[in-house]
Amino acid sequence: MINLTKFYINGEWVLPHSTETFPILNPSTEKKIGQIILGDKTDVDHAVSAATAAFDTFSRSSKSERLSLLTKLHEITINRLEDLAQAMTREMGAPISMSRDAQAASLIGHIESFQNALEHLVESETLPGGDLLIREPIGVCGLITPWNWPILQIGLKVIPALAAGCTCILKPSEHAPISASVFAELIDAAGFPAGTFNLIHGKGAQVGRALAQHPDLQMISFTGSTRAGKDVTKNAANDIKRVTLELGGKSPNIVFADSALEERIPASVHECFYNSGQSCDAPTRLIVESSCYEKVVQIAEQAARRQEVKDPSLEGDHIGPLFDEIQYHRVQGMIQVGIDEGATLLVGGLGRPEGIDGGWYVKPTVFSDVDNSMRIAQQEIFGPVLVIIPFDDEDEAIQLANDSPYGLAAYIQTSDSKRAQKVAARLRAGQIHINGSAANPATPFGGFKQSGNGREGGAHGLEEYLELKSICQN
């Protein structure tokens, strides 16, 4: 629990101004494993002052200097991957195998991706008319990250900010502070100048809002719920800050009858349940062609029954608990909604899995015979809950897929590559996955509609932290 009761500001671990504590609970045992101090406006002002002072110098650092720092950070991160993995397993319940192979490893991939993006960044170019175009860091950035992919999201925000020459203040989720504190230790060991990176803990309503409202910040990057994203945007509006948002999703997964059903349906069910369903881009709506609907329902039911739920400290490809008690009851409530709406409960349902008496574990649940107007088809549940919806033709599949306030990701299963491309072109979502294809760290990630704005990852993610300056000359 080292440094959990301190903030990392101006290159030092300091005692917060606030004294309000917040318990850190292990979601698999419901037991307290530590506590943090929740920051206040004075703590935010302290961190912003440090970042503002550091910006004057760091913004003028050379590309080679920043690349050298990223190289050192990459080396140190590799040596401490296990610390990051263990932290996330304890604080948010990710199974340890997944914590190592996906959660912690994602930071390595994004450091490498942003290194490459920075190497290829054109900082100055002459335009066709003879004028000069300069790309320079936007300024001091407030970065607000969630609990469900803690280090992934920290990497997607902090690394491009520092690579661009910005300085920043990170407010991680108060539910996932351990991995963020380990990350601060990595930044410190890599030798980033004091004040370039600052870490403060706190709740969104206090620290997050204070960051969004702070007049000395030029940018806010937020990942979380759509409701909270709207609040961040409103609070940032007075200063016309740049705001990038990665918000909720209710991603469609269109299954055509010509797809390899025996392979793609179990994989689709697994991807929905991955991270206990706590991924904003999870394919939670299985939209299935009518001619293969009954077969898909049967395969999905069998796959869901094979999904194991176990202690996250154990090795394996099982899923763990939800991250906290409030989310547990929210998911239970939405499962009850599905039952009340008349959907067919194929697998799972209310309560904990058999043999589990404690912890915030949920039964992997599948509903069939779902209408897209049902709440379970429209609202983000953020748990291991899949709904199956039939369609008759391609146009109806696309209409159902787009009939959502969200547009973060979409999935297509078909053996017809031309059809896949044609359907992908008509889907209103920021990232399309065809036949289980995974995204590269350099691939931009972000959403349409109420799933947010802006992009994260690779060159496009780096550009979010840059301003364009035109120098007009004879």
Side-chain angles (χ1 to χ4, degrees), residues 13 110 153 203 244 264 274 300 307 332 354 360 368 408 437 447:
W13 291 98
H110 286 299
Q153 283 296 325
K203 292 188 175 181
T244 63
R264 297 309 316 143
Y274 195 60
Q307 177 64 68
Q332 294 294 305
E354 186 177 352
W360 299 313
S368 63
L408 188 56
S437 298

Side-chain angles (χ1 to χ4, degrees), residues 40 126 183 274 324 399 467:
D40 58 20
T126 301
F183 179 81
Y274 195 60
D324 85 339
Q399 184 272 325
E467 281 281 23

Side-chain angles (χ1 to χ4, degrees), residues 73 76-77 80 84 107 181-191:
L73 179 64
I76 292 168
T77 301
R80 296 202 60 187
L84 290 170
L107 181 58
S181 293
V182 173
F183 179 81
E185 294 177 352
L186 304 181
I187 289 286
D188 186 77

